[in-house]
């Protein structure tokens, strides 16, 4: 399984993904699910992927090939780094998804596996706004809004309650970052199919660049926030009022 | 959908269920999912049900019919209130489940609906221990242990992280009660298909009776614990250490 999330606040977008994949319970591997493209001063884009790994790797490969073709200035070449808007970039991801589904889906399903995949894309181009999209298997997509400022893919339920309570457009970026890590921590504690290491990225509004880091299993910052949250939760719990039975 | 949970600690078992059912998003009803049987001083049993409503209502009806037959002292009549052990009571629930699945499953699936159902059963008989079982659609069942002291059915993921952190065999009953309400509160906030009112029951160890109450949407105790938890969580969140990006 997988858990990826992206939280959009006024100061920017926080993106976080795990690295565990599994084909059954006894076939567990580690794959990066976060992909970053930057053209400093012009645009920055981050993708998070979930679902069938062959499909999502195929999508990323097609996006990379298009970037190379556009860089060589080939006729009609259009890529997520050269297209006019972030909306168009989401369309390009959807088109790549469509191409992969058309090529592979029937065969994958004939063998009893699932071809579903989903992709979160966050990005900003010079002169545009920060935008955050969720692209489905059918290639269609939705955009995060102030009413729903976060998107999740994969094993999303365990980590949703804390986001529902904490994330709003006015949430400071550093708090969104903590919320993302806590949401991931809760998911990993409740579901073994989501696991360390983690990939963390931040797209600060108008920076047109991506700050990112990998958090390994023994990362002291992650350990500190995970332990602090456990302690705070226990204290919060013991401060609750009693509930009478009658 | 549905969310039911049962937390087993040394002092007893806390059981909590919502009352919302839905056949599609636009066909929402209210049904009780908690069923209580008591023979004071001899035994007390609580059932929580999830899944296909026709199936679970059929199971409960068969259990009731068997109780009536056993009360009339009919030949070979055995019921969850007359059988020798709680393990046998779980078998009787499983047998009723089997009977309903055998009667209805093929027809339900032929019409494109799901016949799956699951039932949590907690109970104690005089001279026995408090026991907590989860009975599946196939009529087979598992029992909660000290390693896994809680069972959930229905929409269980949103409310699991808090239970994973808080519930252990030594947890006081009054804290288990709070944890159950918080787990339900988080689920209702994140998923509209789980909703008030709630049914709450407590089986105190060796009491051989059930304390229960319904919590309506405006219940002041529930409101108090829900608001207190929101405030405590916010404070806990703001007490967390910052995470550097590099």
């Amino acid at each position: 399984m997988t858990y990826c999330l992206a939280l959009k606040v006024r100061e920017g977008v926080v993106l976080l993904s795990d690295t565990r994949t599994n084909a059954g319970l006894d076939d567990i591997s580690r794959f990066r699910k976060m992909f970053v493209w930057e053209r400093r001063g012009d645009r920055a884009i981050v993708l998070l992927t979930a679902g069938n790994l062959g499909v999502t790797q195929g999508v990323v490969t097609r996006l990379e090939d298009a970037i190379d073709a556009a860089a060589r200035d080939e006729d009609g070449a259009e890529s997520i780094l050269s297209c006019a808007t972030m909306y168009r970039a989401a369309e390009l991801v959807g088109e790549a998804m469509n191409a992969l589904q058309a090529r592979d889906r029937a065969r994958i399903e004939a063998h009893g596996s699932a071809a579903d995949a989903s992709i979160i894309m966050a990005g900003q181009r010079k002169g545009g706004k920060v935008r955050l999209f969720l692209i489905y298997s059918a290639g269609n997509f939705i955009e995060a809004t102030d009413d729903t400022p976060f998107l999740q893919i994969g094993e999303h339920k365990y980590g949703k309650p804390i986001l529902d309570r904490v994330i709003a457009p006015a949430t400071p970026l550093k708090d969104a970052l903590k919320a993302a890590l806590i949401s991931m921590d809760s998911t990993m504690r409740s579901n073994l199919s989501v696991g360390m290491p983690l990939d963390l990225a931040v797209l600060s509004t108008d920076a047109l660049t991506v700050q990112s880091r990998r958090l390994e299993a023994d990362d002291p910052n992650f350990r500190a926030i995970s332990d602090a949250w456990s302690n705070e939760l226990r204290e919060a719990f013991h401060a609750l009022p009693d509930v009478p039975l009658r």
Side-chain angles (χ1 to χ4, degrees), chain A:
Chain A
M1 202 62 186
T2 287
Y3 180 40
C4 299
L5 69 165
L7 317 180
K8 181 170 178 276
V9 295
R10 287 197 196 112
E11 294 178 13
V13 180
V14 174
L15 301 108
L16 185 64
S17 59
D18 82 318
T19 51
R20 190 162 292 175
T21 65
N22 59 296
L25 273 174
D26 59 350
D27 187 3
I28 290 175
S29 310
R30 186 194 288 191
F31 283 93
R32 189 175 175 88
K33 302 164 191 173
M34 176 183 285
F35 303 88
V36 176
W37 292 272
E38 288 182 289
R39 217 156 62 180
R40 289 209 177 220
D42 180 67
R43 73 179 63 189
I45 295 176
V46 183
L47 248 61
L48 305 174
T49 64
N52 185 292
L53 187 63
V55 167
T56 58
Q57 287 185 336
V59 170
V60 170
T61 303
R62 281 172 187 244
L63 297 176
E64 296 265 17
D65 287 349
I67 288 169
D68 291 345
R72 288 192 305 270
D73 217 9
E74 288 178 10
D75 264 5
E78 184 184 25
S79 81
I80 56 172
L81 286 186
S82 69
C83 61
T85 66
M86 281 301 115
Y87 189 91
R88 179 63 190 144
E91 282 184 339
L92 291 173
V93 176
E95 288 169 15
M97 176 74 86
N98 273 337
L100 265 293
Q101 294 287 346
R103 191 191 75 183
D104 291 346
R105 188 177 188 89
R107 283 181 298 163
I108 292 170
E109 290 182 347
H111 285 263
S113 292
D116 286 335
S118 50
I119 293 177
I120 286 173
M121 188 194 89
Q124 186 178 22
R125 64 177 172 88
K126 197 173 175 181
K129 291 182 175 163
V130 177
R131 300 184 72 171
L132 174 60
F133 297 96
L134 169 51
I135 297 106
Y136 297 102
S137 291
N140 61 325
F141 53 88
I142 59 169
E143 181 171 9
T145 64
D146 280 1
D147 285 330
T148 301
F150 62 86
L151 298 174
Q152 307 167 283
I153 52 178
E155 192 60 81
H156 65 282
K157 292 185 179 183
Y158 301 105
K160 185 165 183 281
I162 185 66
L163 303 180
D164 280 330
R165 289 176 195 266
V166 168
I167 298 301
T171 305
L173 198 59
K174 72 178 177 50
D175 285 351
L177 204 161
K178 293 180 204 178
L181 292 170
I182 289 170
S183 176
M184 181 64 80
D185 187 43
S186 294
T187 304
M188 290 192 297
R189 279 171 188 257
S190 290
N191 192 316
L192 281 182
S193 73
V194 177
M196 303 284 281
L198 309 177
D199 289 306
L200 171 66
V202 172
L203 262 172
S204 296
T205 301
D206 296 334
L208 301 175
T209 182
V210 179
Q211 292 174 281
S212 65
R213 64 180 278 201
R214 171 157 283 198
L215 302 165
E216 296 290 346
D218 58 353
D219 184 88
N221 296 125
F222 186 74
R223 182 74 53 93
I225 202 163
S226 173
D227 290 348
W229 184 239
S230 284
N231 293 334
E232 293 287 342
L233 272 189
R234 254 191 301 275
E235 280 181 35
F237 186 76
H238 289 300
L240 291 177
D242 282 337
V243 180
L245 260 172
R246 303 253 173 222

